[in-house]
Amino acid sequence: MANGQWYPQEWPDRIRALTDGALTPVTPRRAATVMLLKDTDGGPVVHMLRRRASMAFAGGAYAYPGGGVDPRDDDHHVRWAGPPRAWWADRLGVGGAEAQAIVCAAVRETYEEAGVLLAGPTADSVVGDTTGEDWEADRAALVARDLSFAEFLDRRGLVLRSDLLGAWTRWITPEFEARRYDTWFFVAALPEGQRTRNASTEADRTVWIRPEDAAAGYDRGELLMLPPTIATLRLLIPYGTAAEALTAAPARDLTPVLARARLEGDEIVLSWPGHDEFTKHIPTGGAPA
């Protein structure tokens, strides 16, 4: 492996089954992930976690806080700051209720996995330290899905700060994967007074790292990543501050990126439109190149 592109051993067989018509794609589940940024003297750094090697999917790979949408957040009205739900629906290409749930998922997952909460008691504030025992009890209830995020906000009397998020890109898991996600990637800046911690049971390490350094580690084969992760890291490199990235977010193209597999002669070609660096050539009887 010349770089750190994560590639599961079962993909070639599943791709062949898909191209032969023997595999029916599963419907992707809505998901959200957040590239949390903070400014340093050396430029902005992004918060990343390393998935435990024991994880069935992408074990050992670096990623951002993220996860699936909770359907309970579709129709429960939450206190909301920032662009209205209709604006988010248009931006994300979904209905209003879906847009609320996706934004809720982005904020919830950042809290669950990094301990950072993009919400506050008023429309122009954020909470401070969230490491107390009462906060931890609520976070654990969210992780266990005993509590929906909308219920959590209501219980705490908090306003969701959608204005602290910027929708950045959208990737859909390839059709040949057994577990599929339709994932919206967001950018956000670490709120003043809050700090990250490894609150995820799925991660064995967390780091703050400059996007260019993470990309260089991937290129050297030292950091394992999925295509969406390294692709978004490369897109962050030109920005000199977290605020610059957030300002650029509304103009970002959210056309979904979906990997394609096709037969060409005696090999399968796996490609991600617009991202030639991830193209794989898989001999019909061998390993990918």
Side-chain angles (χ1 to χ4, degrees):
M1 180 174 60
N3 56 33
Q5 183 176 345
W6 181 78
Y7 191 92
Q9 294 181 345
E10 67 271 17
W11 270 14
D13 288 340
R14 296 189 64 85
I15 292 170
R16 293 183 191 103
L18 179 68
T19 56
D20 291 342
L23 178 67
T24 301
V26 299
T27 300
R29 180 186 175 190
R30 296 172 300 163
T33 190
V34 177
M35 299 177 287
L36 189 63
L37 304 171
K38 72 174 180 180
D39 293 324
T40 71
D41 291 341
V45 290
V46 61
H47 180 71
M48 303 189 76
L49 53 86
R50 185 176 65 187
R51 294 172 59 82
R52 294 185 183 276
S54 58
M55 298 294 294
F57 180 79
Y62 281 79
Y64 314 113
V69 167
D70 186 342
R72 294 176 296 179
D73 292 332
D74 280 44
D75 53 10
H76 188 124
H77 188 80
V78 302
R79 297 171 67 195
W80 189 275
R85 292 164 182 79
W87 184 93
W88 278 108
D90 181 67
R91 179 73 182 116
L92 301 179
V94 297
E98 287 183 283
Q100 172 179 290
I102 292 166
V103 172
C104 279
V107 178
R108 186 197 72 239
E109 289 289 337
T110 306
Y111 180 50
E112 286 183 6
E113 298 192 348
V116 170
L117 183 57
L118 304 178
T122 65
D124 58 359
S125 66
V126 292
V127 299
D129 187 9
T130 62
T131 58
E133 291 184 4
D134 58 333
W135 286 103
E136 181 57 25
D138 276 352
R139 194 195 66 80
L142 287 168
V143 172
R145 296 298 180 261
D146 294 334
L147 183 69
S148 76
F149 192 65
E151 292 167 340
F152 164 76
L153 293 174
D154 281 349
R155 174 186 294 184
R156 290 276 178 177
L158 296 175
V159 180
L160 185 149
R161 293 290 306 274
S162 80
D163 55 317
L164 299 182
L165 286 169
W168 193 255
T169 190
R170 179 181 178 185
W171 287 65
I172 300 177
T173 307
E175 293 180 334
F176 46 82
E177 269 285 11
R179 290 183 296 179
R180 302 186 63 213
Y181 295 93
D182 184 352
T183 304
W184 285 262
F185 286 70
F186 295 85
V187 291
L190 179 68
E192 185 176 353
Q194 294 193 35
R195 61 183 186 272
T196 57
R197 57 194 174 93
N198 184 7
S200 173
T201 59
E202 298 181 354
D204 61 10
R205 184 189 183 208
T206 61
V207 296
W208 283 102
I209 188 170
R210 295 195 311 161
E212 52 266 51
D213 291 339
Y218 168 91
D219 290 338
R220 292 191 299 267
E222 298 171 358
L223 300 183
L224 196 65
M225 298 180 201
L226 291 165
T229 308
I230 179 58
T232 49
L233 278 170
R234 296 200 198 284
L235 291 170
L236 289 173
I237 291 173
Y239 299 97
T241 65
E244 286 181 11
L246 280 164
T247 299
R252 293 279 313 153
D253 182 9
L254 293 187
T255 301
V257 179
L258 173 64
R260 301 292 185 186
R262 66 185 186 276
L263 283 171
E264 285 190 3
D266 60 354
E267 67 179 11
I268 298 169
V269 179
L270 174 61
S271 61
W272 280 258
H275 299 272
D276 292 342
E277 71 168 299
F278 306 128
T279 299
K280 292 287 187 182
H281 295 265
I282 306 168
T284 54

